[in-house]
Amino acid sequence: PEKEMVTAMENLTDIVNDSGGISDKSYISDIVTWMSDAKGFDVKIVYVCVLNATESRDTLHDFISNGGWNCLSKWLESFILTERHAAIRELLKCFQKLPITHRTLSTQVESKDVPGKMIRGLRKHADEEIKTLAGSIYKSWMDMVDEGNKKKAKRKQEKADQTQTKKSKSEKSGPVLVNNFMSAAFLTEDQKKNEIKKKKEAKQKKG
């Protein structure tokens, strides 16, 4: 574990900024690889602290999208099983900071449960800080899910309304087109009669 910590600190020296966060999103691939390979508890905490010190939402979004979400999910499961309360608190702060989206929450992970389900359970934890953090995160995520569902339902309704409007226009245009065609047909017949009448009159005048 000590050797792993030394290696981790050496790796991080070149990629963290003065605040201790990831200096550029180009390092995300390396970070996720190192985190996935991490074995020691203390080393994992160091990486979580680096994430918590990262201010760039673009960088954190790239972290989530490139395997980071799955890694944190497995770590949360491990910390809960081993009752690492301090680690759970740090990791919850990380989840609170990450730019989570509706899609993120439904992303498949390798842990037994998704982060949302694990955090829901932590709302009843004996540790007050863990309980408070978990409750705040869970409420925030559920509000986001509800908002996403409302938008989805609204888009679905708008699409249904558009379909109904097109259908109504189609039904109205049918008889109108037929009427226009019939009017044109009758008009043509009248014109023919007038032509015949004019011809007869012309013949009578000649006679």
Side-chain angles (χ1 to χ4, degrees):
E2 187 176 339
K3 184 179 179 181
E4 184 185 24
M5 176 62 79
V6 172
T7 302
M9 297 306 290
E10 288 176 349
N11 290 335
L12 290 170
T13 299
D14 296 328
I15 70 169
V16 298
N17 53 29
D18 293 338
S19 301
I22 303 169
S23 60
D24 192 273
K25 62 181 182 180
S26 62
Y27 297 121
I28 289 300
S29 179
D30 289 333
I31 284 280
V32 172
T33 299
W34 297 335
M35 288 178 66
S36 298
D37 293 340
K39 299 290 189 296
F41 168 74
D42 290 337
V43 173
K44 291 178 180 179
I45 293 300
V46 167
Y47 285 121
V48 173
C49 289
V50 168
L51 289 171
N52 285 343
T54 302
E55 296 299 329
S56 170
R57 290 181 67 81
D58 283 345
T59 298
L60 292 174
H61 182 272
D62 278 11
F63 170 78
I64 293 171
S65 305
N66 291 282
W69 181 252
N70 180 56
C71 185
L72 293 182
S73 182
K74 291 193 292 182
W75 284 10
L76 180 59
E77 181 180 57
S78 173
F79 294 164
I80 291 173
L81 289 173
T82 54
E83 298 184 352
R84 300 276 191 169
H85 294 181
I88 293 172
R89 284 193 290 270
E90 284 303 312
L91 195 47
L92 286 177
K93 290 174 185 175
C94 185
F95 278 117
Q96 195 171 42
K97 184 185 185 71
L98 294 174
I100 305 300
T101 64
H102 192 290
R103 182 176 295 179
T104 306
L105 296 177
S106 59
T107 301
Q108 286 190 326
V109 289
E110 293 174 19
S111 54
K112 181 181 177 182
D113 294 319
V114 294
K117 189 172 182 180
M118 287 187 276
I119 290 173
R120 182 178 65 186
L122 290 174
R123 294 179 302 162
K124 298 178 182 179
H125 200 279
D127 184 282
E128 284 299 323
E129 188 177 358
I130 290 176
K131 186 192 296 185
T132 301
L133 282 167
S136 176
I137 295 168
Y138 187 74
K139 183 181 183 304
S140 173
W141 288 0
M142 287 304 98
D143 287 345
M144 179 175 60
V145 169
D146 289 341
E147 187 63 28
N149 288 337
K150 285 178 184 176
K151 287 181 179 179
K152 189 175 179 181
K154 185 178 179 182
R155 287 195 297 268
K156 189 175 180 180
Q157 185 59 50
E158 286 174 350
K159 189 174 181 181
D161 290 344
Q162 288 175 356
T163 303
Q164 185 60 40
T165 301
K166 287 179 181 178
K167 186 178 179 182
S168 298
K169 284 182 179 179
S170 176
E171 289 172 349
K172 287 179 181 177
S173 64
V176 171
L177 289 172
V178 171
N179 290 338
N180 288 341
F181 173 77
M182 293 302 287
S183 296
F186 282 122
L187 185 62
T188 303
E189 290 300 321
D190 288 340
Q191 287 174 338
K192 285 180 181 178
K193 287 178 182 178
N194 287 333
E195 287 297 321
I196 293 171
K197 187 177 179 182
K198 285 179 183 178
K199 286 178 181 179
K200 283 183 178 179
E201 289 175 351
K203 283 182 181 180
Q204 287 176 354
K205 285 180 181 179
K206 285 181 181 179

